[in-house]
Amino acid sequence: MSRSNLAKLYVYVRRATERLVEPLAVEDMVIQTMPEMSPTKWHLGHTTWFFETFVLARAGLPVRDRRYGALFNSYYNAAGAMHPRGERGQLSRPTVEEIRAWRRQVDDALTRWIASAPDAAFAELATTIEIGINHEEQHQELVVTDVKHVRAANPLAPPYRRRAGDPPAIAKPLAWHRVDGGIVEIGHRGSGFAYDNEGPRHRRWIDPFELASRLVTCGEWLEFMHDRGYERSELWLADGWDSCRAARWRAPLYWRGGDGGWSSLTLAGERPIDPHEPVCHVSFYEADAFARWAGARLPYEHEWEAVAAACPVDGNFVETGAMHPRAASAGDVAQLFGDTWEWTRSAYEPYPSYRPYQDALAEYNGKFMSGQFVLRGGSCATPRRHIRATYRNFFPPAARWQFTGVRLAR
Amino acid sequence: MSRSNLAKLYVYVRRATERLVEPLAVEDMVIQTMPEMSPTKWHLGHTTWFFETFVLARAGLPVRDRRYGALFNSYYNAAGAMHPRGERGQLSRPTVEEIRAWRRQVDDALTRWIASAPDAAFAELATTIEIGINHEEQHQELVVTDVKHVRAANPLAPPYRRRAGDPPAIAKPLAWHRVDGGIVEIGHRGSGFAYDNEGPRHRRWIDPFELASRLVTCGEWLEFMHDRGYERSELWLADGWDSCRAARWRAPLYWRGGDGGWSSLTLAGERPIDPHEPVCHVSFYEADAFARWAGARLPYEHEWEAVAAACPVDGNFVETGAMHPRAASAGDVAQLFGDTWEWTRSAYEPYPSYRPYQDALAEYNGKFMSGQFVLRGGSCATPRRHIRATYRNFFPPAARWQFTGVRLAR
Amino acid sequence: MSRSNLAKLYVYVRRATERLVEPLAVEDMVIQTMPEMSPTKWHLGHTTWFFETFVLARAGLPVRDRRYGALFNSYYNAAGAMHPRGERGQLSRPTVEEIRAWRRQVDDALTRWIASAPDAAFAELATTIEIGINHEEQHQELVVTDVKHVRAANPLAPPYRRRAGDPPAIAKPLAWHRVDGGIVEIGHRGSGFAYDNEGPRHRRWIDPFELASRLVTCGEWLEFMHDRGYERSELWLADGWDSCRAARWRAPLYWRGGDGGWSSLTLAGERPIDPHEPVCHVSFYEADAFARWAGARLPYEHEWEAVAAACPVDGNFVETGAMHPRAASAGDVAQLFGDTWEWTRSAYEPYPSYRPYQDALAEYNGKFMSGQFVLRGGSCATPRRHIRATYRNFFPPAARWQFTGVRLAR
Amino acid sequence: MSRSNLAKLYVYVRRATERLVEPLAVEDMVIQTMPEMSPTKWHLGHTTWFFETFVLARAGLPVRDRRYGALFNSYYNAAGAMHPRGERGQLSRPTVEEIRAWRRQVDDALTRWIASAPDAAFAELATTIEIGINHEEQHQELVVTDVKHVRAANPLAPPYRRRAGDPPAIAKPLAWHRVDGGIVEIGHRGSGFAYDNEGPRHRRWIDPFELASRLVTCGEWLEFMHDRGYERSELWLADGWDSCRAARWRAPLYWRGGDGGWSSLTLAGERPIDPHEPVCHVSFYEADAFARWAGARLPYEHEWEAVAAACPVDGNFVETGAMHPRAASAGDVAQLFGDTWEWTRSAYEPYPSYRPYQDALAEYNGKFMSGQFVLRGGSCATPRRHIRATYRNFFPPAARWQFTGVRLAR
């Protein structure tokens, strides 16, 4: 990417982050409502720390405050000490305004550096800047999901963004898209950006299978609930059943109500469950139990990719402003991109001959390759630019606060 | 107390709270750095809730927002549901500004009600208002101690209040004040305000004893440390030793450093330990171990009161602005009031024939009469108006974040 | 005590321990069903370790196996390292038979030493032997209560000892024994054995009060339960209410059943609740809540002792073989001794001028003087020889597995 | 299998279990030294419960004691309530002797039933009996590993079985066995016994790779340790590093010592580390970190199977009596079977089109297919009859108490 294009992209993505947090009060940006999520102000600081640490400092430029290093390091052991993840909500300072000033300072320094750096230095660090831009987009999505969690923890919290609802839509009936078996190629190849974990491209044998034409809907999920899906151990993986009982799951996260009718907390306020919308905020364990109940299974990630590779990257992303999944109204295989991340049956493992990034960024993806499951396709909180068919997201199987949904296979 | 005096006192105390929080940023007022402390904004709300719930609502006036009830109820089961104590830092809303508006509204309503309530209603609730005023003063002290904890959790936090230090002072040598045995009367009697737990006044036999003329100093505490006081189990109560090892105590809370020299975090910033100042932020367990090491013991609360009853209530209270204990420079028995709370050897028990308040306020004191120890005399964070010789404060034996110090007896 | 009397007493008490464990299978003696209790085989070893460590080793005699030191040290830091208390059930070895052999060896050595030690050595250690004998009696009671806990953890466990029940008895109606106020003397004085915590004898002022003529019965406890005593927070201390909810107390420990009728697990098997029997296996918190419900209170320990000092030490002790409390059928103030330990309102504190034992035995009592409450009078599991009016037992306020009951005062 | 062959096999396997426990004292068989392991007497009971519940009861025969159902049910929700796994060491009864009597009774009933059942009934349950026999063999291995854990918890425990050591052997130098890529068939097919999780047989594409000719040795592991392998976060998966620090791993489980030399606790007693022996009792996380340190990786399970399918099932199994891995002294690709289980890089997932057993045994394997990693090849504690090339064992990635070792790939 040319210097000027990289600089433009950098500015565009950084500003997008700031627009996302505009509706928030300072109080909304400081607290941590569970160890897995982070305060908004921490996200603002961490993404800035990323550019300062991995670009500016390596380019020999000064850092704003050495003490920020430990506070905003997420998990990079190679970058030094770090504040405990579960205690990010115990930091009164720096204030939101101080972090904003830091962002502006880093943005100035970085755009100036892109314009003026010697060619060799630029060549060495351009990829890191591009990773940082993609990293910022990941945290944009996390800002959305973490703000939703903050809102849900408090009955007084107003909607994040009041907006007129989308017009009601009818989900198309479920159909099955048949895929023949054979050898397929999986993983990224080519000139566009991709993370290290998307490669190397490699062959994989696939048995014939069928993929559902759309995501599982809330209406279908209500049937699962009415059929006592949350009470029948035989539908669940053992660890899933333990999680279900320990956390007393009886509906997706953010659902409220019961026999008299269910509603859901959305970023635009609480509203009744729409049976045509895709179900969202379910864990891998719930997705797996639902699939078993439905006489189906979750797709493997290579099955998903084999289908998605031929589809345009189009859908309900964060740019629609909906920040909520919408009913599938079109397409042979709809909703592969956007709306909700799709749990796969694949544990998050390295591809054959996988090589992580070098240096500190070696920790970016590779060290998380145990205990998590792969999700595909992006969600209504993902920037459109960020996603592609080879993209591998990953979360622990009990996580529910991301926009995570279900597509069946068989 | 007359209506106008009560109203004046009310306004005075409420404004004092607001002055205390003036130096704070919003970010300082929202977070919770351990389950035992509360965010400043919660204190602002809770004290307001107290007046709204126990006075205005009982007088038939409307409450601002029913949902505030559970959020700001501290521990009154009789007043309904309550938000978990350890999760007060997970509340983004109401914002600080919304709570301030609520305070103003309640203050207006309450002062108008004091002026205009029918005599019978006023007679019924005047005592509750007075309790509420004293309750507000208790939370003023907690604001100070909790803000100190928030600052200490963050290396970036600036001082709460920059101020020139006090001129250095030399602690007078320790002397022993001898008290003859006999029957003494203990507890509150008379017309001034006192909590239910200070009565009824009753007789108590006292054996002859001696009380130290001043608080234990930091210099004396350093001797204890140098003599391996934190490593010698034989000096400690069993539960104290467990706490010491589990929490890895090796100095009072807020002390930093080691062999090369100790400093302490104060509300005016970090500064070297002054050996003449009273030691502060020590637990009952540490106080007890120190006393054993010193060949002495902690006083019983009735011993303390027998001496203090004859002394003027004078000392280094919150009004001095020091917010830190000062060296004892005068007096036969100095520092009985102010500087630091003094741990006694007395478990917090009801006095003979104790009767708690009626109704919801029955929970104010009585239900905490197990597992805690009595402290006497107030501290540099206590409003002067709030303290008296019969006053019984109480904390669990491992608590260290209050301004708690040590006076010896033998 | 003369050498021969001491030797006779030693042999008598050691044999009593062995008779207590005769009904047990090896499997009953090895496991630990909660951290607070110990396997029977550990008790057999620990009491032996006590004599070996504090008598034989100090007399210069060899120990059987140095490695036993850490395994059977309960809490004496001065005696070296110790195995964690909560992991006493993880020790396969030594076997029960090996511990029995060790007991025999120590018994032989100790009785020979008593007979033959030089006068000076005997004079120095005779008191320690006497403490060891009393210590063994304490563990006899613990064997009984811990075996009961092991049985209760397992639906298959047969009774400890099958026996014909006592003939049914009718509890006398509750009466109140009035005591005038004044100065009383409290604590042990004289030539008989007493622990360090029973002294020194000292004066105490007592206000006039009334003491219940007998223990609270199961019938009275059922009334408390039917009046929703376990569900009304206003009856409970705050910590007690937390314990009640966390542990889901709804009846005394070992009670089974519900609306259809309650039964209780006893050492002679399960049997229906007898409303005339004293209630047993209740915590301090429950006792305190019951007293509040009954419009009374628990006695202070000095009140109890002031009455008990004038009464003969007689009652239902372990020697009756009942191992269960019996209905109070006689006396002006009945059941002061035996049947159940009586919770007092007194936190366990040192008496004025208290001096612990010297050397390692300093840890015997003194270091536990925080966080516990005093119990008086012994139980149906206490050896008769062991108890006296000045005897101070102590347990944490939530403990329920001892034979602990309630006597009211007002 | 014919009735008589099945009966012979049944008797053979059941007797093998009993021979394994012969060296144990009752005390060794009762306790539980961590939640993941079980007391020997529980294994004896559980395997008996399996036959009684899934064969005898379904054949209409009476069970010995209904209360045994919950006590000895491991994890079959469909079979009713169950005692908590972590509390198996809190069961005093049934005694070891009672369980042995139960075993004899079930053995009598089952062998008689095999001989006399109607053909239809036999046809229906014969497979379940065969599963039960294989299940018993799995618990034979667990008896060995759990007894080792019990021994290690106690410095007094004598060796399980004293035996002369094997003659010293020299491990062959490591070589790399090259495998060409292509499509392979994976999974069980044919007439012999296999678990449901070994099928269905399916195709898999394999890229060319190399497999190490033998297991990693203790000598190689010592190099890893000397190179600070346990202290360098960059070698570890994130969850692995958390486990390493939380549990303070610095060597394989059962290793003792330090710079002065390492020894290992074996079932024949403690002995110095032999650098030629395979390393054992390491977790997946350690195995993975070692492989990264060595510039290699762990094999995927299909890679392992592609090689093993062509090798004879021969090696150091439980029948050698060594109960400890031995140096690899022969073969092109040695030690694929026996010595130690080999961690693979494959998360434990269902094979394409996997179908679990029907009814209660559906829970046997399928519900554990998340959060665990596949191990292959059996160990020195596995019965030789029990293992085959398609066999898939699985354990959580932090487990260390099984005989688990490492083979590298690249």
Side-chain angles (χ1 to χ4, degrees), chain A residues 204-403:
Chain A
R204 180 90 198 210
W205 174 269
I206 289 183
D207 284 333
F209 73 102
E210 293 183 326
L211 192 68
S213 60
R214 58 158 172 76
L215 296 170
V216 168
T217 64
C218 290
E220 289 157 352
W221 200 268
L222 283 165
E223 287 177 51
F224 170 69
M225 287 162 59
H226 293 153
D227 200 27
R228 300 177 43 254
Y230 281 99
E231 295 151 51
R232 290 163 55 189
S233 64
E234 74 272 19
L235 298 173
W236 294 71
L237 289 166
D239 287 347
W241 185 238
D242 289 347
S243 294
C244 179
R245 284 190 302 178
R248 302 186 191 197
W249 291 340
R250 50 192 285 266
L253 184 63
Y254 301 136
W255 284 35
R256 305 285 151 81
D259 295 342
W262 290 90
S263 63
S264 164
L265 189 94
T266 79
L267 284 160
E270 190 164 348
R271 56 188 216 192
I273 294 298
D274 177 344
H276 291 280
E277 285 178 3
V279 73
C280 195
H281 297 299
V282 295
S283 62
F284 168 82
Y285 292 135
E286 288 163 287
D288 174 82
F290 178 90
R292 195 165 291 110
W293 170 81
R297 61 173 174 84
L298 300 179
Y300 293 96
E301 65 166 323
H302 50 276
E303 292 175 335
W304 189 96
E305 186 172 329
V307 175
C311 299
V313 179
D314 197 11
N316 173 21
F317 294 112
V318 72
E319 288 83 357
T320 67
M323 295 192 180
H324 196 73
R326 288 170 173 164
S329 51
D332 170 30
V333 185
Q335 298 177 314
L336 281 167
F337 296 102
D339 287 310
T340 73
W341 289 100
E342 305 179 19
W343 286 109
T344 72
R345 189 60 183 86
S346 298
Y348 181 43
E349 287 179 349
Y351 285 161
S353 305
Y354 165 67
R355 285 279 171 273
Y357 294 131
Q358 295 306 301
D359 303 331
L361 294 188
E363 301 181 59
Y364 199 97
N365 279 308
K367 74 178 184 181
F368 300 109
M369 290 177 173
S370 70
Q372 314 213 34
F373 282 83
V374 174
L375 300 109
R376 293 294 193 119
S379 81
C380 56
T382 311
R384 176 189 308 249
R385 210 198 69 80
H386 188 68
I387 204 72
R388 59 203 156 262
T390 59
Y391 195 98
R392 307 173 81 199
N393 197 0
F394 49 91
F395 274 94
R400 314 211 300 169
W401 92 110
Q402 297 300 304
F403 287 90

Side-chain angles (χ1 to χ4, degrees), chain C residues 27 31 92-93, chain D residues 14 16-34 36-48 72 88-89 91 94-97 99-100 102-103 136 139-151 160 267 401:
Chain C
E27 286 89 341
I31 66 173
S92 56
R93 306 296 178 108
Chain D
R14 295 281 284 176
T17 305
E18 275 139 38
R19 271 198 306 278
L20 267 184
V21 306
E22 267 165 22
L24 303 175
V26 167
E27 287 88 342
D28 301 328
M29 302 172 76
V30 175
I31 67 173
Q32 184 175 32
T33 45
M34 69 172 172
E36 293 80 7
M37 63 75 71
S38 300
T40 307
K41 80 167 191 175
W42 188 89
H43 287 299
L44 293 179
H46 166 68
T47 48
T48 300
F72 293 105
R88 289 176 186 163
L91 294 172
T95 61
V96 170
E97 191 40 49
I99 292 173
R100 283 192 165 123
W102 181 31
R103 284 182 72 88
E136 180 104 13
H139 282 274
Q140 287 168 7
E141 175 150 5
L142 292 173
V143 163
V144 174
T145 56
D146 292 356
V147 161
K148 189 166 182 177
H149 201 268
V150 164
R151 301 272 148 175
Y160 165 73
L267 284 160
W401 92 110

Side-chain angles (χ1 to χ4, degrees), chain D residues 109-151:
Chain D
L110 200 87
T111 47
R112 263 185 283 120
W113 187 85
I114 290 175
S116 63
D119 282 353
F122 180 76
E124 188 191 327
L125 291 174
T127 300
T128 304
I129 295 172
E130 205 175 348
I131 294 173
I133 288 167
N134 281 272
H135 172 259
E136 180 104 13
E137 288 172 332
Q138 287 184 276
H139 282 274
Q140 287 168 7
E141 175 150 5
L142 292 173
V143 163
V144 174
T145 56
D146 292 356
V147 161
K148 189 166 182 177
H149 201 268
V150 164
R151 301 272 148 175

